[in-house]
Amino acid sequence: MIENTTQSMRDPDNNLAFLASAMATGSNDAFIGAQEKAGQQQLVHSDRLPTDIQGDRQAFEALGFTFGDPDPSDPLFAPATLPDGWTRQAADHDMWSYLLDEHGRRRASIFYKAAFYDRSAFIRLDAVSSYLWDHVHNETPLITDDTWATPAAIAEACRTAIKNAQDHIDTWTTHNKTEYVTKYTAERDRYAAALAQHTS
């Protein structure tokens, strides 16, 4: 289960632990960071998803998601099932997690801030452009299919990204910022390489 940190902090023992941590370290960052890390792990190993769905819920359901009613004791989350073959993955940042499809591709992102003073969560589907960005910047595999990351969708996302990179190149060239021109030129070229691969 996912701990409702807002409610649990009403427990005097948790308040004492918070104060002790703050006094020992001179900051409350360690205590809050531990809450956020624990919250991420609880989410990844749970059967819950956020009730705040950014975008169209029907788009999730069309992929095979099912959503139960919000948890009465914690309406931030509801029981849910993932499409067949999909899995959960913790991100490097404690406030983010991902849902991977049967090919290991990131298809949805989950934000969960477990800190008791500002607890919030939402889920959104990732666009093909995000999948392409991850490929270009993190060298992850680029796997196409017939329904989502089609060769045509990848090619269109590449063209948009190339245009955006060229806009940055033009801007920074005007401002004589060579380091940014170099950065975006390399990015543009990586997108161009992906485009050539999916239009050949």
Side-chain angles (χ1 to χ4, degrees):
M1 292 297 293
I2 301 172
E3 179 188 3
N4 186 335
T5 54
T6 302
Q7 286 187 354
S8 66
M9 285 300 291
R10 295 171 185 158
D11 184 329
D13 289 340
N14 289 330
N15 269 300
L16 287 173
F18 173 70
L19 290 171
S21 174
M23 291 176 67
T25 63
S27 169
N28 55 22
D29 291 348
F31 184 90
I32 292 169
Q35 272 193 334
E36 290 170 349
K37 188 172 188 62
Q40 180 196 55
Q41 291 303 308
Q42 291 163 7
L43 172 62
V44 167
H45 294 98
S46 76
D47 65 348
R48 299 291 196 262
L49 289 176
T51 52
D52 182 358
I53 299 173
Q54 295 194 342
D56 187 355
R57 176 176 172 143
Q58 290 181 337
F60 281 86
E61 293 172 340
L63 290 169
F65 285 84
T66 65
F67 298 94
D69 294 328
D71 188 331
S73 64
D74 188 6
L76 207 62
F77 294 99
T81 60
L82 308 182
D84 290 342
W86 286 41
T87 56
R88 299 169 185 246
Q89 179 190 64
D92 292 338
H93 193 293
D94 293 337
M95 292 185 199
W96 289 96
S97 303
Y98 303 113
L99 299 181
L100 311 183
D101 68 11
E102 68 274 20
H103 301 295
R105 302 176 301 187
R106 290 179 183 174
R107 297 291 300 275
S109 297
I110 304 170
F111 174 84
Y112 174 39
K113 185 175 183 179
F116 69 93
Y117 66 91
D118 189 24
R119 190 167 179 261
S120 61
F122 65 80
I123 183 171
R124 67 176 181 227
L125 289 175
D126 290 343
V128 171
S129 57
S130 296
Y131 178 53
L132 176 64
W133 187 97
D134 196 40
H135 165 72
V136 164
H137 291 270
N138 298 320
E139 298 184 356
T140 56
L142 194 58
I143 302 169
T144 59
D145 59 33
D146 296 328
T147 57
W148 180 62
T150 64
I154 292 290
E156 181 60 27
C158 284
R159 292 187 187 98
T160 299
I162 290 167
K163 181 184 182 305
N164 290 340
Q166 187 61 55
D167 288 344
H168 284 297
I169 292 166
D170 295 342
T171 297
W172 293 118
T173 298
T174 301
H175 291 89
N176 294 316
K177 296 290 186 179
T178 306
E179 65 274 25
Y180 294 117
V181 172
T182 300
K183 171 187 173 182
Y184 286 109
T185 298
E187 181 178 297
R188 180 199 62 192
D189 292 347
R190 289 194 295 270
Y191 281 117
L195 175 61
Q197 181 182 354
H198 290 89
T199 53
S200 58

